[in-house]
Amino acid sequence: MADMTAIEFVAASSQYLTCGDEPDYNSPYSWSAWVWFQAHATNSFVFEIAANTSNYDVVRFDAAETLRLYSRHTGSNEIASTGSTSGLSGWHHLAGVRGGTGDQDLSLYLDGVLECSGTNTSAMTDRTAAARFSLGRSYQGPTSYGNERHADWKFWTEELTAAEILLEAEQGAPVRASNLWGAWSLADLRDDSGNGRDFTATGSPVAADGPGVPHDLGSLLLVSVEAASGAGVTGTGASVGLVGTGAGVGAPTATGTGASVGLVGTGAGVGA
């Protein structure tokens, strides 16, 4: 994935984005995004899908630098789950999934790993239809805003598997083309999926540096490949899809004269 441009929200300036369309939050859905956490208000809101103050799905970042997942149904917080990781800062990959029996399960993933989850106790068919899809703002509690950067948002109207979410955290291209409801690089506010679901900005959020290459998970991918295949040869060994200098899979005597394919680092190449 190439370096990306992000959009930055400042809570004190009431900055946020809203989409002109809303997904069905009572049916299966999944989303994936890169978020940079920084100084924040007591409740720094990452995103929400909501009908009103009594019906919403929300992800927020609290004063302990911990993620929280909420789902409210006709006035009752049926899901109020707190993540296990505190002290979060910098860029992280987040993903959420609604599905399971009756589409009542809601899960939040951090860097490709399940962070917290919950189950709605009421039938989703009884919940009011969504009326807002927002980044950086929420109805949850008093109207609150986020202090963070967002990049590379994608939204599907179906469940992604845990394996697909891990792939999303490791690569930039959408892991599924089917039922891709919207995709936003956030280099601008346009919907890159071609579905016409552009965002509208309030409060003049500004462009900022996004996550670059490699992401935090790049080193984990390299370690796992090295362990499995004896990669990590120094020099100009043949390399396939790896990150780093001379990282290789295959014959270490290869000269690396072939064209490089999706590689990062000095000497990464596909050789004869």
Side-chain angles (χ1 to χ4, degrees):
M1 182 189 300
D3 290 348
M4 291 184 290
T5 300
I7 194 163
E8 183 169 349
F9 302 121
V10 177
S13 299
S14 302
Q15 297 173 345
Y16 63 96
L17 302 182
T18 52
C19 185
D21 198 0
E22 299 81 34
D24 182 1
Y25 68 164
N26 295 321
S27 296
Y29 70 75
S30 304
W31 57 268
S32 166
W34 283 90
V35 180
W36 183 57
F37 298 108
Q38 53 182 326
H40 54 274
T42 300
N43 295 323
S44 184
F45 284 93
V46 177
F47 103 110
E48 73 162 4
I49 309 173
N52 47 45
T53 56
S54 297
N55 299 272
Y56 51 70
D57 289 351
V58 160
V59 174
R60 85 181 195 201
F61 188 55
D62 69 13
E65 284 120 13
T66 303
L67 289 164
R68 293 191 177 183
L69 179 66
Y70 289 89
S71 182
R72 195 169 181 86
H73 192 310
T74 57
S76 175
N77 262 338
E78 296 188 343
I79 297 176
S81 299
T82 301
S84 59
T85 307
S86 60
L88 286 171
S89 63
W91 282 107
H92 292 274
H93 182 266
L94 300 183
V97 178
R98 175 170 286 287
T101 303
D103 304 323
Q104 292 173 230
D105 296 338
L106 192 61
S107 301
L108 178 65
Y109 291 78
L110 172 67
D111 294 331
V113 178
L114 181 65
E115 178 72 0
C116 56
S117 62
T119 301
N120 286 93
T121 55
S122 303
M124 304 314 298
T125 52
D126 296 337
R127 189 162 65 162
T128 305
R132 189 172 72 187
F133 172 38
S134 303
L135 308 183
R137 181 193 184 197
S138 179
Y139 279 121
Q140 203 269 343
T143 299
S144 300
Y145 303 89
N147 282 303
E148 62 247 358
R149 295 178 186 177
H150 290 227
D152 196 30
W153 260 90
K154 307 181 190 80
F155 199 102
W156 294 264
T157 53
E158 63 182 350
E159 294 179 65
L160 294 187
T161 66
E164 286 174 319
I165 288 170
L166 182 58
L167 279 176
E168 273 288 322
E170 294 172 345
Q171 65 185 41
V175 296
R176 283 198 197 185
S178 63
N179 295 309
L180 183 63
W181 187 83
W184 306 266
S185 68
L186 296 182
D188 53 40
L189 303 181
R190 292 176 297 180
D191 176 10
D192 301 319
S193 74
N195 293 326
R197 297 185 169 104
D198 299 344
F199 277 116
T200 299
T202 298
S204 300
V206 299
D209 291 338
V213 175
H215 291 315
D216 293 341
L217 296 185
S219 58
L220 298 181
L221 175 62
L222 177 57
V223 168
S224 64
V225 173
E226 286 179 342
S229 63
V233 179
T234 59
T236 56
S239 303
V240 180
L242 300 174
V243 177
T245 301
V249 175
T253 57
T255 60
T257 57
S260 294
V261 180
L263 306 173
V264 178
T266 304
V270 178

